[in-house]
Each structure stands twice: as C-alpha cells, then as structure tokens.
Amino acid sequence: VKSEGPKLVPFFKATCVYFVLWLPTSSPSWFSALIKCLPIFCLWVFLLAHGINFLVSHRSARRILAGLIFSAVGDAFLIWQEQGYFIHGLLMFAITHILYSSAFGMKPLDLKAGLLMGLVSSSCYAFLYSYLSGPLTYLVAVYIALIGFMGWRAVAGIQLCNDLWTWTKLSACIGAMLFMVSDLTIALNKFCFPVPYSRFIIMATYYAAQMLIALSAVESRDEEDFRKRS
C-alpha cells in the first residue's frame, strides 16, 4: 500500500472528477470522452511510473498496459454508441480481454475453474440470446466467450487451498469478476430491460476492475531482487 498507493492518487482524483461532473450521455463530445478515459490514462501513468525496465522485463505488465490502451479507445467509441459505434467499442474491449488473458497466462490450468466460468458465461448468453438480433447474436457470443476466458485465467491464478497465491493474483481475480459484472450490466441495460442506477454500477465496477488488473501487473519481488536491495 505504501509503495503503490501514491502512484494511484491521480487515478482516484480522475475517477472523482468523472463522477462529480457526471456529464450527460445524451450529448456526446470529445470533452466527455476525455473525462471518461482520464482514469484509464492515469492507469497508463501508474504502470509507466514503475519504469521502462519494469515493462521490458515483465511481459504481463506490457500486455496489461496494451489492454488499458485498447480499453481507452473502446471507452471513446462507446461515448458515441448511439451513433453506431457500439460494435467498434465491443471490438476494442474484446482485444483488451485477449491481452489480459495472455497476461494472466495458462498456468495453473485449473479445469474446474474453467468449467465454472464456462457455465456462468453460457448461462449469461442463454439469457441474452432472445433479446439479440442480427450480427450482435454472434458478436455478443464471441465477446462473452472472451471475457469468460479472461475470468477463468484470472481465477485460476489463485489457489487459496494450497497457499499458492499472491496479492497481485488476488487483485487480478477480483478485477476480472468486477469487469464481468460491469459488462453484464451493460448488456442487460442495453438489450433486455432498464437497470436501476445502471450507469453508476457500470462505471464504478469498471474503474475498480481496471485499477485492480493494473495492480496485478506489479509483480511481487522475488528473493534475488530482495537480496540485491539488501
């Protein structure tokens, strides 16, 4: 907390600015896009603040940074979703989930977690299916599969029973779950029925998810690094 907390202060301030201004979604503009993307920009700075050498030596951190970049582009597209840019935003976030999944890695495999996430994802799509039409029927299916896969890789990283977990892996897991909650709320509100306080739920869980996933990129120091500092 002492080492990473100060680096996240700009993110918290930018998030507060977004919720205080609460710009109307009915009048999209580049200013509203900037305010919405500003917390994600701050997470770029958070990772870059660890130094270029950190990003060069940590492949997962580079991929999470790339995911945050695509997320910001997706956020900008969604500002104009009513003007026909929803699918563009969907594509950007699909790439984000691929990058996050790659950052989390395939070890340990944990097929039980994969089966659980598969059931959850399938159930969500089965519920949404009757509300979808046209290309969205297939695009939403692919998107749910990708975010479900990302959630699986995040959950598989923590093994509480064997004490084989770190705070970074736990952060990734919670962040992935919050991301799924945010996207499910978007889907329900857009395709099915109005969700009370949907915008607040979507953005609060989204920003928290991105922060936790960014935090997961900060690897715990290994024994060799500790000895070097000593």
Side-chain angles (χ1 to χ4, degrees):
V1 173
K2 289 181 180 179
S3 62
E4 303 304 331
K7 298 185 185 74
L8 284 170
V9 169
F11 165 79
F12 289 121
K13 288 183 177 180
T15 302
C16 288
V17 168
Y18 172 82
F19 284 108
V20 168
L21 292 181
W22 204 241
L23 298 172
T25 57
S26 57
S27 55
S29 65
W30 284 108
F31 178 71
S32 59
L34 173 63
I35 295 302
K36 184 181 181 184
C37 295
L38 191 58
I40 307 302
F41 295 157
C42 292
L43 292 178
W44 298 3
V45 176
F46 167 74
L47 289 179
L48 291 170
H50 290 82
I52 299 301
N53 290 336
F54 169 78
L55 292 173
V56 169
S57 59
H58 291 77
R59 183 176 60 181
S60 61
R62 293 198 304 273
R63 292 178 179 177
I64 287 176
L65 176 60
L68 288 168
I69 292 172
F70 278 99
S71 293
V73 178
D75 281 331
F77 276 130
L78 291 181
I79 287 287
W80 285 277
Q81 60 178 295
E82 299 302 328
Q83 285 72 35
Y85 288 96
F86 178 77
I87 292 178
H88 297 73
L90 197 70
L91 176 60
M92 293 299 103
F93 279 106
I95 296 172
T96 294
H97 296 317
I98 292 172
L99 288 165
Y100 286 169
S101 299
S102 178
F104 299 151
M106 291 301 297
K107 294 181 180 179
L109 193 59
D110 197 348
L111 293 177
K112 291 182 180 179
L115 178 61
L116 176 60
M117 294 307 301
L119 289 173
V120 171
S121 300
S122 299
S123 299
C124 290
Y125 182 69
F127 180 82
L128 293 170
Y129 180 78
S130 60
Y131 296 94
L132 302 172
S133 61
L136 283 173
T137 304
Y138 310 103
L139 293 174
V140 170
V142 173
Y143 185 85
I144 289 177
L146 289 174
I147 194 172
F149 184 82
M150 186 271 290
W152 169 32
R153 298 323 309 148
V155 171
I158 60 169
Q159 300 196 15
L160 298 176
C161 296
N162 300 326
D163 291 331
L164 298 175
W165 64 280
T166 62
W167 70 268
T168 54
K169 293 184 182 299
L170 186 60
S171 178
C173 177
I174 298 174
M177 295 301 101
L178 288 175
F179 216 134
M180 294 179 74
V181 170
S182 178
D183 281 357
L184 179 60
T185 307
I186 290 175
L188 291 175
N189 189 67
K190 184 173 183 64
F191 302 122
C192 304
F193 48 79
V195 177
Y197 308 106
S198 59
R199 187 179 173 196
F200 176 80
I201 295 170
I202 290 165
M203 298 310 299
T205 53
Y206 171 69
Y207 285 140
Q210 294 283 40
M211 180 195 71
L212 290 168
I213 290 173
L215 271 173
S216 75
V218 184
E219 297 287 345
S220 298
R221 303 294 185 182
D222 57 26
E223 293 181 3
E224 183 180 352
D225 288 340
F226 180 81
R227 287 196 298 269
K228 287 180 179 179
R229 290 202 311 273
S230 299

